Amino acid sequence: MTEFDLRCKVFSVTQGYMSGIRQMVRVLVIAVLAFGWAISANPAAGTDVTLRVGIYQNAPKIFRNEAGQPSGFWPGLIEEISRQKGWTANYITCEWAACLKLLEEGDIDVMPDVAYSEARAAKFVFGKDVVFHSWSLIFHQPGEAISGILDLSGLKIAVLAGCIQEERLGQRLKEVGIEGKFVHVQSLRAALSAASDGTADVAVVNRFFGSRLAPKFGLAPSGIVVAPSAVQFAFARGVPSSVVTGFDDVIAKLKLDGGSVYYKGLAELTANSSRTSVPAFFYWVIG
């Protein structure tokens, strides 16, 4: 082999190595770009996650206090989940029906305090963990003889627009041959006010809110239990699945810790509602 041939061979080998290196660099650049795109497309894959959370006035479960700060059981739970995951919660105030509409349209990411139903599961994503079980009661003016479902015949029933209580109570009324006369309001306080001033005859309000505020409106609870439900976080369809599983994971851990904010929050809720009369048999049904 001549010196010229040897130089040509060395040059050819060198070019081959350089070509391979360039190919490796191209592959590496493509991989880095693809990973960066995946992070931007799925914010839950990174640590900087901001969730838009709906909030409405339903003390003591969820509300803005006098200083305008999110308060109650649900914001406390969200704060703990966000702390453990390194996420940020940005609260958006809305009325209940408007909150659900924002969630359906993807203008908020998470809505707390949502009772599960098949109709809602068709619109939203629910996690696997039920946060707690709840129900509502019929509140009325003292002296009214309202103790059973048949006593609602011909009465005007104040109910929060878009709530599960209207759907469930409406079904029960139809089953016993009574036509529901619902008066739609935009807040639970407005429901109690309607039953107090005569705009409606009775109000359907969840037991937590009712036990706290019904006495201030001069209303008493009946023995009629409405819409026992599994209450959960609901997520917009476009929310990454890692966010949903992240909520589930933290909730599951909190339920295993008797001293967690979950149980402290539940204790505060039940302390507020313990004064509300509920038929003893109902607790056996829930069990």
Side-chain angles (χ1 to χ4, degrees), residues 22-202:
R22 284 194 295 268
Q23 184 66 22
M24 289 175 62
V25 170
R26 280 196 292 269
V27 171
L28 182 60
V29 169
I30 292 172
V32 170
L33 291 176
F35 179 75
W37 177 85
I39 290 293
S40 62
N42 181 5
T47 57
D48 186 16
V49 176
T50 299
L51 297 174
R52 300 163 299 173
V53 182
I55 183 172
Y56 73 117
Q57 293 299 102
N58 187 354
K61 292 195 294 180
I62 179 171
F63 63 102
R64 285 192 183 274
N65 60 23
E66 294 180 356
Q69 297 301 313
S71 301
F73 171 82
W74 290 98
L77 188 57
I78 292 169
E79 181 180 341
E80 179 62 19
I81 294 171
S82 299
R83 184 189 68 79
Q84 291 196 27
K85 291 295 182 181
W87 298 341
T88 300
N90 180 24
Y91 288 90
I92 297 175
T93 303
C94 44
E95 299 287 358
W96 176 252
C99 287
L100 294 184
K101 188 66 174 177
L102 291 173
L103 186 68
E104 184 177 0
E105 294 177 350
D107 292 324
I108 59 175
D109 303 305
V110 187
M111 189 63 207
D113 199 31
V114 181
Y116 178 90
S117 71
E118 292 184 1
R120 286 176 174 172
K123 299 177 182 178
F124 316 129
V125 175
F126 286 89
K128 65 181 181 181
D129 265 291
V130 173
V131 178
F132 60 77
H133 288 83
S134 187
W135 57 89
S136 294
L137 297 173
I138 299 287
F139 290 87
H140 58 85
Q141 294 188 12
E144 296 290 338
I146 300 175
S147 59
I149 193 72
L150 294 177
D151 295 328
L152 299 179
S153 178
L155 299 186
K156 292 178 291 184
I157 306 167
V159 65
L160 184 64
C163 70
I164 198 74
Q165 287 84 350
E166 179 182 0
E167 176 187 334
R168 300 279 176 82
L169 182 56
Q171 291 173 352
R172 289 182 62 188
L173 293 176
K174 288 181 180 179
E175 289 171 0
V176 297
I178 297 175
E179 183 179 354
K181 297 181 179 180
F182 292 104
V183 177
H184 295 110
V185 295
Q186 295 302 313
S187 70
L188 294 173
R189 181 181 288 271
L192 294 176
S193 178
S196 178
D197 64 22
T199 304
D201 299 300
V202 298

